[in-house]
Amino acid sequence: MHRHPGRKRERIDTTRLLWLQGAAALSVVAVGTLLAGIDGALSALMGGLVSLIPSLYFAWRIGSVRGGRQAGRFVSNLYRAEAGKFGLTVALLAMVFVAAPPSNPIFFFVAYVAVVLAHWLLPWTMRRRPAP
């Protein structure tokens, strides 16, 4: 295997996204606590976790995968990770609604959607700001 001396291979960094998703979930938990008490907080926590746990699984699956010469394997692993994330999401949603339905579904779904859509804010968090 030929390596290029000046070329640094980069790993996919999902840490910032996971922190952003966690912050989104905790924000909805805080709002749920203020507006609906413990029931709103627990429902929001469940919704956030149902969305965050599959994201953690996805990050774990692709965290050690690198592109480069093995692009075909990378894409295959990416599809497997996404399929596992989808399956885990479906299983978690089914488990929550069968075993422990949220007492406040509004906060459950708001937290779920907030975590899912948090990636839209990622480019904003990565903007380079000029040094003072």
Side-chain angles (χ1 to χ4, degrees), residues 53-70:
I53 290 171
S55 291
L56 290 167
Y57 170 80
F58 181 84
W60 172 72
R61 285 286 296 177
I62 68 165
S64 62
V65 176
R66 295 183 176 151
R69 293 182 179 264
Q70 301 171 349

Side-chain angles (χ1 to χ4, degrees), residues 50-51 54-55 84-94 112:
V50 164
S51 187
S55 291
K85 178 182 172 185
F86 179 74
L88 188 55
T89 300
V90 170
L92 288 172
L93 282 169
Y112 178 82

Side-chain angles (χ1 to χ4, degrees), residues 25-86:
L26 290 177
S27 297
V28 178
V29 168
V31 170
T33 302
L34 292 173
L35 298 179
I38 193 73
D39 289 338
L42 289 175
S43 294
L45 181 63
M46 282 193 297
L49 288 175
V50 164
S51 187
L52 190 58
I53 290 171
S55 291
L56 290 167
Y57 170 80
F58 181 84
W60 172 72
R61 285 286 296 177
I62 68 165
S64 62
V65 176
R66 295 183 176 151
R69 293 182 179 264
Q70 301 171 349
R73 192 170 68 144
F74 173 77
V75 171
S76 175
N77 285 340
L78 190 66
Y79 282 132
R80 269 192 233 125
E82 187 59 39
K85 178 182 172 185
F86 179 74

Side-chain angles (χ1 to χ4, degrees), residues 100-114:
S103 57
N104 196 327
I106 296 296
F107 285 106
F108 177 88
F109 286 111
V110 167
Y112 178 82
V113 169

